[in-house]
Amino acid sequence: MEKTIEIKNLNKTFKNGRGIIDINLDINRGEIFGFLGPNGAGKTTTMKIMTGLSRPDSGDVKLLSYSILDQYEKAMESTTCIIETAESYSYLTAYENLKQFSRFYKDVDDIRIEEVLDLVGMLKYKNEKTRKFSLGMKQRVGIAASILSKPKIVILDEPLNGLDVEGMIDVRNIIKDLAEKEKTTFFISSHLIHDVELTCNRIGVLYNGTMLNVDTTENILNNYASLENYFVSEVERYGRI
């Protein structure tokens, strides 16, 4: 298996004492990895370090075998991310926003822009300004932007935030399709247990900044009635240690 993401001994502590403690993780090409944990568990902190938006106190992250500390540009060359909320220029249309983003990449033409807008179900709104969009529509445009350059790694922080049921199903299908057909690796954080269960093929439980366990969804569901049962039992076990 080809490793696309390697997280080694990652630590970061904030003044309030919160943070992440000694996180280790390997993720292979084409995997959809779910980072599951309650709000405040350290998911966004980890993702900010993974994308160079924050520096760790110690440890390292390698994306496609390039260190984000020493070879940042190389590491991020084939990586895209949405951390927290999908932002857009509200005075531009959906199409113009993607046109703007396409300037960062070599091979993105107008055909590709239309293609990704179609994929996320936003082609019919391409000439509308994004300020009129609902949260879910903005999220779809953000996801379109994140797959514009056919990246090898996509890091998404709470990607199903604000989406209605139809939107969730669409985005879930897009992620599964890209992982299968293009072998894109997805690293997704969420506190929505049901969505992680339906989207991801491997899951890591993060609690109080500590990685409790990593397992395949298949294994978990073979041993527990649901991902929720597994999560509760992991947290209870952690509480007893």
Side-chain angles (χ1 to χ4, degrees):
M1 296 292 272
E2 184 191 333
K3 284 183 199 170
T4 48
I5 301 173
E6 299 167 77
I7 300 177
K8 293 270 178 286
N9 308 115
L10 210 57
N11 287 279
K12 172 100 179 167
T13 310
F14 296 101
K15 285 193 176 77
N16 62 8
R18 292 239 296 262
I20 52 170
I21 307 146
D22 205 29
I23 291 185
N24 287 282
L25 193 58
D26 287 339
I27 295 162
N28 297 317
R29 185 170 175 223
E31 262 192 321
I32 307 171
F33 181 83
F35 210 25
L36 181 64
N39 292 333
K43 301 188 301 291
T44 301
T45 300
T46 307
M47 293 171 116
K48 281 185 169 172
I49 294 170
M50 288 172 73
T51 49
L53 297 170
S54 177
R55 278 188 84 81
D57 297 338
S58 61
D60 193 9
V61 176
K62 285 184 177 171
L63 304 177
L64 303 165
S65 70
Y66 296 109
S67 159
I68 50 135
L69 298 174
D70 308 329
Q71 302 156 294
Y72 181 68
E73 284 181 16
K74 279 270 185 230
M76 291 303 290
E77 209 168 79
S78 300
T79 303
T80 57
C81 63
I82 302 177
I83 304 288
E84 289 174 333
T85 44
E87 296 295 344
S88 61
Y89 297 105
S90 61
Y91 53 87
L92 297 178
T93 66
Y95 182 83
E96 288 164 345
N97 264 289
L98 292 185
K99 187 76 181 159
Q100 192 67 16
F101 292 129
S102 74
R103 294 166 57 194
F104 296 115
Y105 308 112
K106 284 200 279 283
D107 311 316
V108 178
D109 56 11
D110 290 3
I111 294 166
R112 177 64 182 162
I113 293 174
E114 300 243 327
E115 191 176 84
V116 295
L117 280 169
D118 193 26
L119 259 177
V120 299
M122 289 299 290
L123 193 56
K124 57 182 174 291
Y125 306 110
K126 72 172 192 173
N127 295 321
E128 289 185 28
K129 290 193 165 68
T130 61
R131 69 161 168 262
K132 296 178 183 157
F133 287 177
S134 67
L135 179 61
M137 289 166 86
K138 285 178 182 163
Q139 199 68 0
R140 285 175 187 242
V141 173
I143 286 164
S146 75
I147 59 176
L148 197 55
S149 62
K150 297 191 175 173
K152 291 183 177 148
I153 298 173
V154 181
I155 296 170
L156 300 172
D157 189 14
E158 303 280 355
L160 303 170
N161 237 352
L163 293 174
D164 56 15
V165 173
E166 193 187 356
M168 284 182 180
I169 293 167
D170 285 352
V171 169
R172 198 180 293 140
N173 289 338
I174 291 162
I175 290 169
K176 286 178 167 176
D177 248 26
L178 287 169
E180 197 179 317
K181 290 177 186 155
E182 314 225 345
K183 289 284 173 267
T184 311
T185 305
F186 283 90
F187 189 102
I188 298 170
S189 86
S190 186
H191 62 281
L192 305 168
I193 290 185
H194 187 59
D195 291 312
V196 172
E197 184 175 321
L198 292 175
T199 313
C200 305
N201 43 36
R202 205 154 65 99
I203 293 162
V205 174
L206 192 69
Y207 193 76
N208 281 350
T210 303
M211 194 70 128
L212 300 191
N213 205 356
V214 179
D215 206 345
T216 64
T217 313
E218 193 181 2
N219 260 354
I220 292 167
L221 296 179
N222 280 340
N223 292 303
Y224 293 86
S226 68
L227 185 56
E228 193 170 335
N229 289 31
Y230 167 75
F231 180 79
V232 170
S233 90
E234 282 299 309
V235 169
E236 278 179 355
R237 201 162 59 103
Y238 169 74
R240 284 199 297 270
I241 293 167

